[in-house]
Amino acid sequence: MSKVTTIGLDIAKSSFHAHGADERGEAVFSRKLTRGKLLDFFAAQPACLVAMEACGGAHHWARELTQLGHEVRLIPPAYVKPFVKRHKNDAVDAEAICEAVRRPGMRFVAIKTEEQQAAGMVFRTRDLLVRQRTQLVNALRGHLAEYGWVAPRGKAQMAILADLLDEDEMASSLPEAARAMFRIMTDMLAELDDRIADLDKEIARRAREDEVARRLMTIPGIGPIAATAIVALAPQAASFSKGRDFAAWLGLAPLQHSTGGKQKLGRISKMGERTIRRLLIIGGSAVVRQATIHGARAGSWLEGMLARKPRMLVSVALANKMARIAWALMTRQEDYKAPVVVAA
């Protein structure tokens, strides 16, 4: 039997499929595995290249297989899809992964440590709680409108609303069952506010203790949340050859539909890490808003952009610029220095 040099592993919760190939790419085996037998199977295999799609549980299995002596590569699922032949099943997917990892120009996802995944969970949890808070606020305002009460917009108004529910004017106009449900929702809102505030303090603490995060916070528009998100969720800056590659990885680069030597650019791709991209756009929007109110520095890039482009477009362009600056600071290990405007 030929020696196995590459194994494509299609993973799931309980059912796995391994496709082994030799150095010429010829199939050696295709085997279905259960979760309990997966590590025993790979422990019996000679050290080789193991490839998986970067999906749920992939980083855990990558760490486990690395400890067994294998070289593990994680591939974005979108880059595996072109290698899938006709019908889709576990065996075909494993074969496609095995084929994709052998391509010399293939791109891979860095394997995260347990600490990196735990740091990322802080932001995922905060995003979840913020979404739940938004859902509750929308539900409160919608249900109150059914009884003729229009609640003012804004998170601060929700705390006032909890007190108004106990006053006679509003309480007398609402059925007892409705008042009970409104109290449940206002109590949940208060609890969510407390939990989000605790997570904000944890993020701020991480930002103060991390040298890279402190350096990133010197960039206008990047605060503790965005800085620690970049540190926790982005791969090493050295894995990108230039800042434009980092901005493209975040999905802040325009889509291209170029052909025949004619360049045609569209909207941003949104193909990268959505959490960091969203935070950078929010930070860019804050800088643009302040520049709109107080005026941008004379002769600066921002002043020129605001003079000829819509605000939202400038916010996204500024987010792209912030991403490239962040890459430069992480690579050179320097603090941000505002560019000097030279008089014409």
Side-chain angles (χ1 to χ4, degrees):
M1 181 179 293
S2 301
K3 180 180 178 181
V4 176
T5 59
T6 308
I7 299 178
L9 179 62
D10 182 63
I11 64 176
K13 294 183 179 68
S14 302
S15 179
F16 302 79
H17 202 100
H19 179 93
D22 59 17
E23 60 183 6
R24 297 176 299 172
E26 298 290 337
V28 176
F29 63 80
S30 180
R31 187 171 303 176
K32 182 179 180 181
L33 302 167
T34 61
R35 186 181 186 90
K37 296 181 179 180
L38 182 67
L39 292 180
D40 292 338
F41 171 79
F42 277 95
Q45 297 296 320
C48 60
L49 174 63
V50 181
M52 295 180 286
E53 288 183 328
C55 55
H59 293 277
H60 164 73
W61 290 116
R63 292 191 295 266
E64 293 291 331
L65 296 179
T66 300
Q67 291 179 0
L68 295 176
H70 298 288
E71 180 185 358
V72 183
R73 300 275 181 86
L74 300 182
I75 309 175
Y79 295 162
V80 175
K81 189 175 181 180
F83 296 93
V84 176
K85 300 173 183 176
R86 290 184 179 266
H87 304 291
K88 182 186 184 304
N89 55 51
D90 293 347
V92 172
D93 288 347
E95 181 182 2
I97 295 170
C98 188
E99 179 68 23
V101 75
R102 296 169 61 87
R103 300 301 93 196
M106 183 55 61
R107 299 177 181 178
F108 303 104
V109 176
I111 300 173
K112 295 181 179 179
T113 64
E114 291 182 348
E115 291 74 17
Q116 287 175 316
Q117 287 186 292
M121 278 189 64
V122 176
F123 301 96
R124 308 297 188 206
T125 305
R126 185 183 183 277
D127 284 345
L128 174 63
L129 297 183
V130 170
R131 289 197 302 270
Q132 290 178 343
R133 182 174 65 184
T134 303
Q135 290 174 349
L136 275 173
V137 169
N138 291 338
L140 264 171
R141 298 184 78 252
H143 289 309
L144 282 172
E146 296 294 333
Y147 293 100
W149 292 92
V150 179
R153 294 182 181 180
K155 185 182 66 175
Q157 303 296 334
M158 293 300 104
I160 301 174
L161 181 61
D163 297 330
L164 292 176
L165 286 172
D166 295 327
E167 295 185 2
D168 293 338
E169 183 180 359
M170 180 178 285
S172 60
S173 65
L174 299 175
E176 178 58 35
R179 290 201 301 271
M181 295 303 102
F182 285 133
R183 290 193 186 95
I184 290 176
M185 285 189 280
T186 54
D187 291 343
M188 292 177 65
L189 270 176
E191 183 178 356
L192 285 173
D193 285 336
D194 293 339
R195 294 293 179 88
I196 293 172
D198 291 340
L199 288 176
D200 287 341
K201 293 178 182 178
E202 172 65 16
I203 291 172
R205 182 190 64 80
R206 290 172 178 267
R208 289 193 302 270
E209 295 177 355
D210 190 275
E211 181 182 356
V212 177
R214 291 197 304 269
R215 186 175 297 121
L216 291 173
M217 284 191 292
T218 61
I219 303 174
I222 294 185
I225 295 178
T228 48
I230 293 173
V231 173
L233 302 177
Q236 294 294 326
S239 60
F240 302 97
S241 60
K242 52 184 177 294
R244 289 181 179 180
D245 292 343
F246 180 58
W249 179 80
L250 292 174
L252 288 169
L255 283 170
Q256 287 199 43
H257 300 280
S258 305
T259 183
K262 296 180 180 179
Q263 189 180 52
K264 185 178 180 181
L265 303 179
R267 60 176 179 80
I268 61 172
S269 66
K270 297 184 180 180
M271 291 182 178
E273 220 296 321
R274 65 180 63 183
T275 301
I276 301 177
R277 180 177 65 248
R278 176 173 54 82
L279 291 172
L280 289 179
I281 292 176
I282 291 173
S285 300
V287 174
V288 169
R289 183 173 182 272
Q290 291 298 316
T292 303
I293 296 173
H294 304 289
R297 188 170 49 175
S300 64
W301 173 88
L302 186 57
E303 183 190 48
M305 287 290 290
L306 287 172
R308 64 181 187 271
K309 298 293 184 180
R311 282 179 54 179
M312 190 59 207
L313 189 149
V314 178
S315 298
V316 177
L318 182 56
N320 179 291
K321 191 178 183 70
M322 291 161 58
R324 289 184 279 122
I325 293 173
W327 175 86
L329 297 189
M330 290 187 293
T331 303
R332 300 171 187 173
Q333 299 182 0
E334 298 176 354
D335 291 342
Y336 174 76
K337 298 176 183 178
V340 178
V341 179
V342 180

